[in-house]
Amino acid sequence: MAGKETEMQELMPKGVAATVPPLYATEDEGDPVARVKLFSCLNGWTWYVTEYDPATGEAFGLVEGFADEWGYFSIREMEALNRSRGLNVVER
């Protein structure tokens, strides 16, 4: 499957990442704005990214899954999952 990895969608390309505030930048905001929406058509989960650290790949935002909650999640882990499955399990 050579070439499959290059076909995987980059979830936070530099241009998109530049529009997202750094971690902890919106913690005093009552209703922070989601800059990026990620979703999985396989499990129905959605992640709304409000903060992001491009150096670590860590993001913060609203996660709609089994329950709706605010928390941290790894964009790099999502991209690794996509590569390991050979398809975009998580998409932007």
Side-chain angles (χ1 to χ4, degrees), residues 2-84:
K4 275 288 191 191
E5 185 172 320
T6 58
E7 294 173 16
M8 296 291 110
Q9 180 187 58
E10 187 176 0
L11 297 178
M12 293 293 281
K14 289 180 184 179
V16 172
T19 68
V20 182
L23 292 180
Y24 310 108
T26 66
E27 66 184 358
D28 293 328
E29 294 181 18
D31 190 18
V33 173
R35 309 298 174 135
V36 177
K37 176 185 176 184
L38 305 173
F39 64 95
S40 173
C41 59
L42 295 181
N43 65 12
W45 284 46
T46 304
W47 298 263
Y48 296 95
V49 181
T50 59
E51 301 172 354
Y52 179 64
D53 181 353
T56 65
E58 292 299 309
F60 179 81
L62 180 65
V63 180
E64 292 180 343
F66 296 122
D68 297 351
E69 63 181 311
W70 290 88
Y72 293 90
F73 45 93
S74 174
I75 301 298
R76 289 184 183 165
E77 286 181 10
M78 291 177 179
E79 289 176 336
L81 175 65
N82 285 353
R83 287 190 301 274
S84 73

